[in-house]
Amino acid sequence: MGSLLRPVDLVNQPLGFQERHKILQKLFKQLQKAYAHTKRTNIDLERLATRLEVHVAKNSLSGQSYKFNMSILLRDILKYKGDLSKVKINGRPLKGSKPCLYSNSNTGHITTKSKAMEALKSLILDVKALEKNGYIVEEMQNEVNDDNNAQLYAPCLRCNTNFKKIDIMEKTLCRYHPSKRIYNRDTRSHQYPCCGETTNSVSFLRLGCKTFLHHVFRGESYNELCRISKFSSTEHIDGVENVLSLDCEMAFTSLGYEMIRLTIVDFFTGRTLFDHVIQPIGDIVDLNSDYSGVHEIDRTKCPTYQEALAIFLSENLINKNSILVGHGLENDLNVMRIFHDKVIDTAILYSKSKFKVSLKNLAFEVLSRKIQNGEHDSSQDAIATMDVVKVKIGISPRQTTWKE
Ligand SMILES: [Zn+2]
Ligand SMILES: [Zn+2]
């Protein structure tokens, strides 16, 4: 039996690992029976079983209800001949609650490059969708309201103090909470998950459980972004029609928020075409290492932004014919400072409201893959994003050779 068949670790699991594992094996066998006359491979079924089991585990409050729900699931899979849209857990249909739950059991039916290209092109966002989601699609005239204050001052992204940007490298004390507060209905106050402090607390810790010697800011308007460096358009570079998945890591610098690592992966071969730590233009304020995974930038070895740009904007990498794949790619394109209009964005593809699904959750739901446990890794993220798109159009993430 394949190695994929193990229950997903959960913080609150209704039953021990051993017992969940046993039930998971039963579920897999049941799925084999139900889908015996279909093209689904054992790998597909292992993934489906893993995903169904974790769904039930997450939706069962006790070991008792988990066992009960699983017995219903085992029974109904055969009863409805594998039609999962008819199966209910806790009275709720599987379909709808988690739309990606079993959408990828259909991989492997696209095997030619031309078919894949056709499917990919259907996912490219139109200009309206790009603009609505914060993409900068063309050179804009200077914004009218670019008053002096906005140029001189910025609110700190962490503590909200309005500070003079020019003084950013001078030491000060920024006290903040690294995680966003959430509302607690019982206590009727906001609580910070990082430390448990509430907004009602009398302790000075409510102001923040972490301190840093500088404030940080992030300019997001076109003008503010241009102040770091100008945008380049891909329009002027004619090159191969490639499909590239990309992801950046960012850090706070004296100029705002800048790219410090970029990974570009080829969609068809899965090969990494570019992966470098990059020197930002401004002075480093905070590398955000816990998050970015970048711990130091060697100014003697790492390419500068301009050097990196000269490499990644080229006939064989990002050019006007490239289809770029990313998750919340507007953030990446904005820190790369490029205009590009052929974009597939998994954050838009999989989100129904303005609250976008995280790549971490998406990778877990669609690929049964755990990423971003701790530091982020742009290489891991670019590959996960690419694989989510592959699954979306019915390609196995394992496929690396293609018929034309
Ligand atoms: Zn805190
Ligand atoms: Zn601050």
Side-chain angles (χ1 to χ4, degrees), residues 332-388:
D332 304 272
L333 295 184
N334 287 354
V335 293
M336 290 163 81
R337 282 176 186 75
I338 58 172
F339 302 125
H340 189 75
D341 59 1
K342 294 186 187 69
V343 163
I344 296 173
D345 188 331
T346 49
I348 300 173
L349 223 53
Y350 277 91
S351 301
K352 290 203 188 91
S353 66
K354 60 177 178 166
F355 297 106
K356 290 186 178 161
V357 58
S358 70
L359 181 60
K360 185 184 169 107
N361 286 340
L362 199 55
F364 184 72
E365 298 291 352
V366 177
L367 308 168
S368 308
R369 191 179 301 167
K370 280 175 145 186
I371 59 165
Q372 299 177 352
N373 287 308
E375 292 174 3
H376 292 198
D377 176 343
S378 54
S379 167
Q380 198 182 48
D381 292 356
I383 292 168
T385 308
M386 171 178 83
D387 289 349
V388 165

Side-chain angles (χ1 to χ4, degrees), residues 106 137 160 167-168 179 193 216 229 248 252 263 281 308 332 364 368:
N106 203 15
V137 287
N160 210 28
D167 295 336
I168 193 167
S179 44
V216 297
S229 68
C248 291
F252 292 112
T263 305
I281 298 169
D332 304 272
F364 184 72
S368 308

